Amino acid sequence: MSHTRRTVLTTGALLGAGSLLGAADPGRATGKVLAERRLDDRLVELTVDSRALGGRSTVALLTPRGWERRSPGDRWPTLYLFAGGDGDHTTWTSLFAVQDLRELRDVLVVMPGMPLFGFWTDWWNHGEGGSPQVRTYFLREVVPLVEREYGAGPNRAAAGESQGGFGALGLAARVTGLFGAVAAFGAPVHPVRHPEMWLSGAKFVGVDGYAIFGDPWKQWKTWLDWDPYHHARGLRHTPVYLASGDGMPGPLDGDEPDPHIPGTEKWVALADDGVVSVTEAVCGEETRMLSGRLASLGAPVTTHIYPGGHTGTYGHRELRHALPMLTAALRR
């Protein structure tokens, strides 16, 4: 069999998140599975009662060969896939078709859901803190749960689209050794650079953006604290794949243009001629900035900037481009 039998890793990298999560006890926040449902021969869906999120959430598992016959000590290399701003974990199987990737037949793929526009962040909540604590949910609930009960091993890699890419990079940068490699597709990787974009995007979908990071002028330290670019040094020894469109028309864009988001007029006015997706143009600019920063630090970064918008299907292609790097990390 291709998987290994190892002791579950519940300390080490996870406890290295202490500065990120304050005095959180990794044993106290662990989520409880309320229901387990098999959707097909490989896909299992867990309903989790999450203290960090203040309610229920869903975690999907794409299981590897032999998983259903696992013994208590069996562990598989694990790829974590972070949902975008809609929080919909099913995109990985519906749009990205990860179940079709032969390279993942011996990998456990973990796909957690997220609250709408949750940004994979422990929300500031106007200084009150509390739920949703989306990063705490991942670090203290999802990872311990799947490593304790579902065969997830300590060889981990991660990828995410849009806000999921922000989350994957931010966690990798802040928690040394958590992931062996990380990839981000069309992601806001330096959001403090364009705060109006993300605050306006939150308002557009009915979310109080100021509750996430606070006011960028008054709570700028909070914005910096979550910003992957600001923590680029933490990625110096982690292989990173960055991909983003430039906002220009691309071959995989849908028929409908990106919606106009009130409050982004400044960036629309500053956009280059021909840009049809200001959101992706901003993601592309932030991606270039992070790529340059990582390169200046000597970090192992691969970057792909291409013509395309934010609502296309480029992530399907870019995940496949990143897969050799991700699976190489899982084999170590």
Side-chain angles (χ1 to χ4, degrees):
M1 299 177 71
S2 61
H3 62 277
T4 59
R5 297 173 184 265
R6 300 183 182 182
T7 302
V8 177
L9 182 66
T10 56
T11 55
L14 293 182
L15 293 183
S19 61
L20 178 63
L21 299 175
D25 180 344
R28 293 180 60 189
T30 300
K32 177 183 178 182
V33 176
L34 299 176
E36 180 179 316
R37 186 164 64 112
R38 180 169 286 279
L39 303 182
D40 59 32
D41 62 336
R42 292 187 63 198
L43 195 61
V44 175
E45 187 176 82
L46 310 176
T47 301
V48 178
D49 182 18
S50 169
R51 180 182 299 181
L53 297 183
R56 295 186 177 188
S57 185
T58 304
V59 179
L61 308 176
L62 183 66
T63 60
R65 285 181 286 204
W67 181 86
E68 67 281 359
R69 300 184 302 275
R70 68 191 184 279
S71 299
D74 288 352
R75 297 289 174 263
W76 281 264
T78 305
L79 176 63
Y80 292 89
L81 297 177
F82 289 73
D86 60 4
D88 185 4
H89 67 282
T90 68
T91 299
W92 295 108
T93 49
S94 61
L95 183 62
F96 285 75
V98 295
Q99 66 274 17
D100 296 338
L101 294 170
R102 296 178 63 185
E103 298 93 330
L104 298 180
R105 288 298 286 122
D106 295 308
V107 172
L108 178 63
V109 182
V110 178
M111 300 164 283
M114 177 184 71
L116 176 65
F117 223 83
F119 242 107
W120 292 101
T121 297
D122 286 1
W123 285 29
W124 183 69
N125 281 327
H126 304 285
E128 298 297 321
S131 63
Q133 296 173 300
V134 192
R135 290 200 185 184
T136 297
Y137 157 68
F138 179 77
L139 284 172
R140 303 304 194 197
E141 297 182 344
V142 173
V143 177
L145 173 66
V146 296
E147 293 194 349
R148 185 181 68 245
E149 299 183 24
Y150 293 96
N155 285 3
R156 313 181 195 93
E161 182 183 38
S162 192
Q163 288 184 23
F166 167 90
L169 286 166
L171 282 164
R174 296 290 297 277
V175 187
T176 302
L178 179 62
F179 301 126
V182 63
F185 319 124
V189 297
H190 193 12
V192 72
R193 183 78 175 185
H194 306 93
E196 304 97 328
M197 285 294 303
W198 316 119
L199 291 170
S200 299
K203 184 177 181 179
F204 185 72
V205 299
V207 171
D208 178 6
Y210 290 92
I212 303 173
F213 301 116
D215 185 297
W217 307 112
K218 296 177 181 178
Q219 284 79 42
W220 58 270
K221 289 184 179 180
T222 302
W223 280 76
L224 281 179
D225 199 34
W226 293 112
D227 194 288
Y229 179 94
H230 187 63
H231 294 281
R233 286 187 176 275
L235 296 167
R236 283 176 298 171
H237 306 297
T238 302
V240 173
Y241 183 89
L242 300 175
S244 179
D246 59 7
M248 296 291 188
L252 301 181
D253 291 333
D255 295 331
E256 296 294 327
D258 280 12
H260 170 66
I261 300 176
T264 64
E265 289 78 11
K266 168 186 173 181
W267 301 108
V268 172
L270 292 174
D272 293 338
D273 291 342
V275 165
V276 295
S277 173
V278 174
T279 299
E280 192 71 1
V282 166
C283 287
E285 180 180 335
E286 293 184 5
T287 295
R288 289 188 185 95
M289 295 179 72
L290 178 59
S291 176
R293 175 66 174 149
L294 291 172
S296 73
L297 293 169
V301 57
T302 301
T303 306
H304 183 206
I305 304 294
Y306 50 82
H310 198 66
T311 58
T313 58
Y314 299 97
H316 179 281
R317 179 188 69 193
E318 297 305 317
L319 174 62
R320 284 149 177 81
H321 288 176
L323 205 57
M325 179 200 75
L326 296 170
T327 55
L330 293 175
R331 291 192 296 268
R332 292 174 187 165

